[in-house]
């Protein structure tokens, strides 16, 4: 539990900034359109990963997720540095970004530099999460006497839940940090390998589709269930803390992320349906119909 000096300082900062309880939320950071966009991208990444496992379809959604996380995370960090956001606003969106990062699948064997950016985001988000739960939430402005999170019931974020989150953060740092170190050791070899393959014409159209082009990037039922839990966690936090102004598509800044994520969701289903139809025709009719269908649609996949 934070000491009285830190609490008094947080309330004093909140008074200086004229924040009120309940909080008027930032619709351009975590408004309804932004949240739906994040949710759609999380589940689109999982669906795309499952399709890459079942239908051997390239899983390319991870690149867009990396950009989405970078944009949202940059805005969040800026508001934290300017102390224009409260702790009760930070933890839902921060948790959502960490989960979105975990759902992201970037094919490291093909795009080592994209994964290098992804790993940079891993380091930054884990560092920000560690700072927030261990120290940062005491330094941000505070307007309400208590703030709540969902953990199968309404619980205060300032008591045992904070210690629980600190423990979870330590585990995430150990796991994520280990992954980053492994990849950094592998990165020079991957860059050299990709450059060698490129110089031999590996990226030419007539060389695509070879074995190994679709390694397993599947997903599991536990991941999907956990992500559904995070959606409930975020929405209940906003509801229980009576944060207003973030439950409609009223601000213009929400529309672009929402429609980009929606387009990715629809496009992913379109590609999956197309590949499934091609595969079904090939399996059921011995190949000619499937080849004919592929000649129509294949080049557009």
């Amino acid at each position: 539990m934070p000491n009285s000096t830190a609490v008094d300082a947080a309330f004093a900062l909140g008074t200086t900034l004229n924040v009120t309880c309940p909080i008027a939320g930032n619709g351009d950071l975590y408004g309804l359109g932004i949240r739906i966009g994040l949710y759609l991208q999380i589940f689109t990444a999982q669906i795309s990963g499952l399709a890459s496992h079942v239908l051997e379809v390239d899983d390319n959604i991870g690149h867009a997720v990396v950009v989405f996380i970078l944009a949202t995370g940059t805005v969040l960090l800026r508001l934290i540095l300017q102390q224009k956001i409260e702790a009760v606003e930070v933890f839902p969106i921060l948790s959502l970004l960490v989960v979105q990062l975990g759902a992201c699948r970037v094919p490291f064997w093909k795009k080592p530099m994209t994964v290098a950016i992804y790993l940079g985001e891993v380091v930054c988000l884990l560092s920000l999460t560690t700072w927030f739960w261990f120290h940062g939430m005491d330094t941000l402005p505070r307007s309400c006497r208590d703030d709540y999170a969902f953990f199968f019931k309404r619980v205060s974020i300032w008591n045992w839940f904070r210690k629980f989150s600190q423990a979870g953060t330590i585990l995430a740092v150990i796991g994520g940090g280990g992954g980053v170190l492994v990849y950094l050791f592998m990165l020079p070899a991957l860059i050299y390998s990709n450059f060698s393959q490129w110089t031999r014409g590996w990226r030419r159209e007539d060389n695509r589709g070879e074995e190994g082009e679709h390694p397993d990037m599947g997903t599991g039922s536990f991941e999907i269930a956990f992500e559904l839990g995070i959606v409930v966690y975020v929405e209940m936090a906003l509801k229980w803390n009576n944060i207003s102004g973030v439950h409609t598509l009223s601000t213009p800044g929400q529309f672009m992320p929402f429609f980009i994520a929606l387009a990715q969701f629809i496009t992913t289903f379109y590609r999956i349906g197309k590949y499934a139809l091609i595969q079904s025709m090939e399996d059921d009719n011995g190949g000619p119909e499937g080849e004919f269908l592929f000649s129509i649609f294949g080049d557009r996949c």
Side-chain angles (χ1 to χ4, degrees), residues 12-293:
L13 181 58
T15 302
T16 302
L17 297 175
N18 296 318
V19 294
T20 58
C21 183
I23 299 167
N26 188 330
D28 289 329
L29 176 63
Y30 57 95
L32 182 62
I34 305 292
R35 299 199 312 278
I36 292 177
L38 291 170
Y39 300 152
L40 283 175
Q41 279 210 328
I42 288 173
F43 292 109
T44 300
Q46 295 290 16
I47 293 167
S48 182
L50 182 63
S52 73
H53 173 66
V54 176
L55 299 175
E56 295 187 347
V57 180
D58 270 334
D59 184 3
N60 295 319
I61 195 68
H63 308 299
V65 176
V66 167
V67 175
F68 211 103
I69 294 171
L70 182 62
T72 308
T74 301
V75 175
L76 176 62
L77 180 61
R78 181 183 177 187
L79 291 174
I80 290 174
L81 292 176
Q82 294 176 346
Q83 293 190 320
K84 293 182 177 180
I85 191 169
E86 296 195 28
V88 69
E89 301 176 89
V90 172
F91 81 87
I93 192 67
L94 188 57
S95 302
L96 191 56
L97 288 177
V98 171
V99 170
Q100 188 183 24
L101 200 64
C104 178
R105 289 171 171 81
V106 179
F108 64 86
W109 58 92
K110 294 170 64 177
K111 301 289 184 181
M113 296 312 298
T114 302
V115 181
I117 298 173
Y118 168 81
L119 291 177
E121 293 178 350
V122 171
V123 172
C124 291
L125 275 179
L126 288 178
S127 300
L128 183 59
T129 303
T130 303
W131 171 83
F132 173 77
W133 286 113
F134 281 87
H135 175 68
M137 61 190 300
D138 296 325
T139 67
L140 295 174
R142 184 177 173 185
S143 57
C144 299
R145 281 290 161 187
D146 210 350
D147 303 306
Y148 302 101
F150 171 79
F151 194 77
F152 304 105
K153 64 177 183 178
R154 188 167 72 169
V155 298
S156 171
I157 67 172
W158 299 96
N159 300 316
W160 67 265
F161 183 79
R162 181 179 186 178
K163 296 185 181 298
F164 176 81
S165 298
Q166 290 172 345
T169 300
I170 292 173
L171 294 177
V173 168
I174 293 172
V180 170
L181 290 175
V182 169
Y183 184 79
L184 289 177
F185 281 118
M186 294 172 58
L187 183 59
L190 288 170
I191 293 175
Y192 175 77
S193 175
N194 274 18
F195 178 77
S196 299
Q197 290 172 330
W198 180 76
T199 56
R200 293 197 302 266
W202 177 72
R203 294 181 182 271
R204 290 183 305 174
E205 194 69 29
D206 56 352
N207 285 334
R208 292 181 181 178
E210 297 176 0
E211 185 178 358
E213 195 70 6
H214 304 281
D216 184 4
M217 294 177 69
T219 184
S221 57
F222 173 78
E223 290 180 68
I224 295 175
F226 180 76
E227 287 151 8
L228 286 171
I230 288 295
V231 172
V232 175
Y233 173 81
V234 172
E235 294 302 316
M236 294 306 293
L238 297 178
K239 177 182 177 181
W240 281 337
N241 291 292
N242 298 312
I243 298 177
S244 61
V246 294
H247 302 290
T248 63
L249 290 169
S250 58
T251 56
Q254 300 185 51
F255 286 96
M256 184 177 292
F258 170 71
F259 283 113
I260 289 174
L262 181 61
Q264 290 173 340
F265 185 75
I266 294 172
T267 301
T268 298
F269 268 100
Y270 173 73
R271 291 177 63 247
I272 291 172
K274 191 160 54 177
Y275 273 94
L277 182 59
I278 292 172
Q279 190 175 81
S280 176
M281 294 293 289
E282 289 177 344
D283 293 342
D284 294 343
N285 299 288
E289 290 84 353
E291 292 176 3
F292 172 72
L293 195 60

